[in-house]
Amino acid sequence: MVKNQREGDQAMPKLNLLELTDAGLYCRPGDFYIDPWQAVGRAVITHAHADHARSGCARYLASTDSESILRLRLGDDMRQQSVAYGETVALNGVSISLHPAGHVLGSAQIKIERQGEVWVVSGDYKIEADSTCRPFEQLKCHTFVTESTFGLPVFKWRPQADIFADINSWWRSNQAQKKTSILFAYSLGKAQRVIAGLDAALGQIFTHGAVENVNQCYRRAGIRLPATRHVAGVTDKNAFRGAMVVAPPSADTPAYTKRFANAGKAFTSGWMQIRGMRRRRSVDRGFVLSDHADWNGLINTIIASEAETVWVTHGYSAEVVQYLREQGLNARQVETQFSSGIDRAEA
Ligand SMILES: [Zn+2]
Ligand SMILES: [Zn+2]
């Protein structure tokens, strides 16, 4: 992105809108943090996944669409200023606006601007359309802080329509054997996207409580999902025969799954693309479906941002930085604390 500058002007000294501190990405002129991992005064939140939205901050600023999920996760007494996508708010002379990241309901890229200098923090994002959240918006900026969860060329997603067809045919074949289908999917985002892609005409869709709670937030936000029923309320075990159960990966324990006498298990994640990951999870099937951009999605987005400087975080940052430098971009690794185990399951 070309700076707003007359020819012959002395280049202005670079204004760093963000710096990395012990508590996370900090905007000193605006006095706020983005997705801090410690309790701070003011937190601007990209989305409600646990490693991005932590409790204990005095004030939160986040998208209107994410409010009910953040309250579910951080408690009803959290103080949130809700901002609509595209709306600009000013904090100490720094303009902040939130733009759809296409990752989960309410997920946002954070755009900050001061004296013509524009930085964008991507949060987690994906490019492919998702019927359960607003589509990713391509932004332009001087410095782009991008995630890189799947930042290796080996990660290349097939169209989700193909994946949903695979999931539905797996469900059908389990039904033919009178089996329950248990699909493990992260409770916020992936589960709702998968449920929206299920062929509800095949049978009943049951949910784990953690999934059902988030489903309710989605429905309140106007997202249409097929009817689902919380497993806990079911006394007749025969009801599960031939049905689909959507549960978080943490529910893959004998204590939870024993109620489904005869069941097939599958896991949905971008990590299923790696041989061995499915075996490690001891499931019958792995469906490669991610709420993050794949390699091409990441690289195309970074190039299209026209950023002169790219900060890469949250994943295969060394590999992405090396590739961007080879393309002549000014790229550096920024080690945040987002690359947690939670994100690995969420991805
Ligand atoms: Zn996330
Ligand atoms: Zn993340």
Side-chain angles (χ1 to χ4, degrees):
M1 189 169 161
V2 179
K3 288 241 170 39
N4 204 355
Q5 205 177 80
R6 281 191 312 259
E7 210 148 345
D9 276 1
Q10 281 280 303
M12 293 281 285
K14 186 104 182 130
L15 178 70
N16 259 7
L17 278 181
L18 290 172
E19 59 196 86
L20 191 62
T21 69
D22 288 345
L25 284 173
Y26 178 56
C27 177
R28 193 169 292 278
D31 191 22
F32 59 85
Y33 290 81
I34 297 178
D35 293 352
W37 48 79
Q38 286 175 15
V40 299
R42 191 187 289 274
V44 178
I45 300 294
T46 62
H47 65 291
H49 277 146
D51 58 327
H52 295 262
R54 297 176 200 233
S55 58
C57 298
R59 278 166 300 176
Y60 294 87
L61 188 152
S63 74
T64 309
D65 280 359
S66 69
E67 183 167 351
S68 67
I69 307 167
L70 280 168
R71 287 199 184 285
L72 175 70
R73 301 211 144 181
L74 303 183
D76 243 343
D77 53 351
M78 63 92 107
R79 288 176 60 198
Q80 174 169 342
Q81 179 183 1
S82 286
V83 180
Y85 287 127
E87 181 188 337
T88 300
V89 293
L91 279 182
N92 307 315
V94 176
S95 299
I96 306 175
S97 56
L98 275 53
H99 303 265
H103 175 57
V104 298
L105 180 66
S107 65
Q109 306 171 75
I110 314 292
K111 180 178 175 183
I112 58 180
E113 184 166 2
R114 182 169 178 257
Q115 296 168 0
E117 177 79 12
V118 180
W119 289 42
V120 170
V121 177
S122 73
D124 294 341
Y125 63 100
K126 75 168 173 292
I127 316 303
E128 192 172 24
D130 177 340
S131 67
T132 62
C133 68
R134 294 270 297 270
F136 177 82
E137 180 184 339
Q138 179 71 57
L139 300 170
K140 294 195 195 307
C141 54
H142 298 110
T143 297
F144 186 39
V145 183
T146 182
E147 63 130 322
S148 60
T149 306
F150 290 106
L152 289 179
V154 66
F155 294 110
K156 196 172 190 312
W157 309 146
R158 287 166 58 215
Q160 64 187 333
D162 296 359
I163 309 298
F164 290 141
D166 288 351
I167 292 173
N168 284 315
S169 87
W170 171 73
W171 184 7
R172 229 176 273 119
S173 87
N174 283 335
Q175 268 183 336
Q177 303 164 65
K178 307 243 183 310
K179 279 180 168 179
T180 308
S181 300
I182 312 177
L183 194 56
F184 295 107
Y186 194 71
S187 59
L188 164 54
K190 183 69 63 61
Q192 290 70 37
R193 183 180 175 203
V194 161
I195 288 168
L198 288 174
D199 180 359
L202 286 178
Q204 176 104 49
I205 303 167
F206 291 97
T207 47
H208 181 281
V211 171
E212 195 54 41
N213 284 340
V214 180
N215 283 1
Q216 285 172 15
C217 295
Y218 271 59
R219 290 188 177 111
R220 271 201 298 274
I223 306 298
R224 242 187 284 169
L225 298 174
T228 53
R229 190 169 163 203
H230 187 187
V231 161
V234 181
T235 46
D236 176 12
K237 285 188 178 175
N238 287 324
F240 297 127
R241 196 175 294 161
M244 170 67 76
V245 178
V246 181
S250 58
D252 189 7
T253 61
Y256 184 75
T257 56
K258 67 172 187 242
R259 73 195 80 193
F260 316 110
N262 184 16
K265 297 195 293 182
F267 188 58
T268 54
S269 166
W271 298 110
M272 291 297 103
Q273 186 142 340
I274 297 183
R275 210 185 295 267
M277 283 294 212
R278 181 158 53 93
R279 220 173 25 242
R280 210 176 308 165
R281 293 211 70 101
S282 77
V283 290
D284 313 312
R285 286 290 297 270
F287 297 108
V288 184
L289 187 73
S290 177
D291 284 334
H292 293 259
D294 64 4
W295 168 261
N296 284 332
L298 289 170
I299 299 301
N300 292 340
T301 299
I302 292 165
I303 302 292
S305 76
E306 296 177 11
E308 296 143 5
T309 304
V310 183
W311 288 11
V312 185
T313 178
H314 201 322
Y316 289 102
S317 43
E319 290 80 355
V320 172
V321 163
Q322 189 192 340
Y323 178 85
L324 294 175
R325 285 183 179 162
E326 285 164 13
Q327 312 307 307
L329 270 94
N330 176 20
R332 64 170 271 215
Q333 243 179 303
V334 176
E335 282 316 321
T336 57
Q337 291 184 12
F338 303 135
S339 323
S340 67
I342 289 157
D343 246 289
R344 304 230 141 199
E346 159 234 306

